């Protein structure tokens, strides 16, 4: 998709280009490959936002691994977190004794990941790490939350693209951009 597409008109500005994303995802894949030598991790995709990042990342990891998927409620169609986290789809496999990597699109307040980490720890994962495409450190409400792998730190702005949506749209943009406030401030 080129940047003349109509969806790009709804962006205030481009934040991370597809080339930059590609480089960082490759680098992260190499790091995970090194860190998990001799292991067979379970990568858990947090639907739906992480799906594009997840599909690219797993192909950059040169290890035997398995995949699982979880869906949780976070934002609905607003742009502010409610703090309420609900499991809409749970894992299919047991993670007891497994090396688990949670793959998330973006860490904002950290409420969602903090909750997920607690749940998966209770289920007996041997190790539990977080890989996030984006991090907004300025917005963190859980200061102790450790995000083990991050591709990009970004400023406090609402972003879409590369899996991230506003009201279910823009997930298919190949780049990441700041959504124009006019779009979500519409009556
Ligand atoms: P947290 O619990 O860390 O506040 O929120 C994490 C979730 O909020 C993310 O998984 C994502 O669904 C949503 N979120 C946070 N910031 C943004 C953003 O800038 N753009 C989009 N599309 N979603 C966001």
């Amino acid at each position: 998709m080129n940047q003349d597409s109509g969806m790009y008109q709804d962006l205030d500005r481009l934040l991370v280009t597809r080339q930059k994303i590609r480089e960082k995802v490759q680098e992260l894949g190499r790091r995970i490959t090194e860190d998990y030598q001799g292991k067979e991790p379970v990568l858990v995709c947090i639907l739906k936002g992480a799906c594009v990042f997840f599909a690219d990342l797993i192909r950059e990891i040169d290890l035997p691994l398995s995949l699982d998927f979880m869906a949780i409620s976070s934002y609905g169609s607003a742009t502010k977190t409610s703090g309420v986290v609900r499991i809409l789809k749970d894992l299919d496999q047991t993670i007891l004794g497994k090396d688990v990597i949670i793959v998330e699109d973006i860490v904002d307040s950290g409420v969602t990941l903090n909750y997920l980490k607690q749940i998966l720890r209770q289920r007996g994962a041997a190790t539990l790490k977080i890989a996030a495409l984006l991090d907004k450190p300025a917005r963190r409400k859980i200061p102790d939350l450790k995000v083990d792998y991050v591709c990009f730190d970004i400023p406090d702005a609402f972003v879409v693209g590369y899996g991230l949506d506003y009201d279910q749209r823009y997930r298919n943009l190949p780049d990441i951009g700041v959504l124009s406030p006019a779009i979500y401030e519409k009556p």
Side-chain angles (χ1 to χ4, degrees):
M1 187 191 306
N2 74 42
Q3 291 171 3
D4 298 329
S5 144
M7 281 185 290
Y8 282 89
Q9 313 305 313
D10 294 347
L11 300 183
D12 229 14
R13 61 194 161 103
L14 265 188
L15 197 63
V16 193
T17 63
R18 61 193 84 179
Q19 291 84 357
K20 271 271 161 230
I21 296 171
R22 190 147 185 266
E23 283 166 28
K24 280 285 183 181
V25 172
Q26 283 174 343
E27 189 187 311
L28 178 55
R30 283 195 295 270
R31 276 183 66 195
I32 292 175
T33 304
E34 280 170 23
D35 293 353
Y36 285 80
Q37 278 302 310
K39 296 186 173 161
E40 190 164 338
V42 180
L43 276 89
V44 175
C45 175
I46 308 302
L47 296 169
K48 301 173 191 169
C51 70
V52 181
F53 173 43
F54 189 75
D56 283 346
L57 178 63
I58 58 173
R59 286 176 288 174
E60 300 295 341
I61 302 175
D62 188 8
L63 293 171
L65 54 78
S66 62
L67 311 180
D68 213 331
F69 298 85
M70 261 183 122
I72 49 178
S73 69
S74 50
Y75 273 27
S77 59
T79 57
K80 293 268 149 42
T81 188
S82 62
V84 177
V85 180
R86 210 155 46 94
I87 297 180
L88 305 175
K89 186 226 167 286
D90 210 335
L91 298 176
D92 291 334
Q93 52 180 303
T94 170
I95 52 163
L96 185 67
K98 300 278 178 67
D99 295 299
V100 175
I101 306 175
I102 302 173
V103 181
E104 176 63 303
D105 52 0
I106 182 164
V107 193
D108 188 30
S109 68
V111 171
T112 310
L113 274 174
N114 194 45
Y115 172 83
L116 269 178
K117 252 189 135 169
Q118 280 171 22
I119 292 192
L120 299 190
R121 200 176 288 123
Q122 281 164 11
R123 294 183 187 179
T127 63
L128 192 54
K129 286 195 180 180
I130 297 174
L133 174 69
L134 305 172
D135 190 3
K136 287 185 197 168
R139 303 247 317 156
R140 194 75 87 256
K141 286 192 191 138
I142 317 276
D144 292 344
L145 180 74
K146 183 166 180 242
V147 186
D148 305 274
Y149 304 105
V150 176
C151 291
F152 302 97
D153 280 350
I154 60 164
D156 179 10
F158 191 79
V159 296
V160 295
Y162 197 67
L164 289 119
D165 74 312
Y166 171 67
D167 214 2
Q168 300 305 326
R169 294 170 64 203
Y170 308 104
R171 293 193 197 276
N172 54 329
L173 282 182
D175 310 275
I176 296 168
V178 176
L179 188 65
S180 176
I183 302 296
Y184 50 84
E185 281 165 6
K186 266 186 202 156

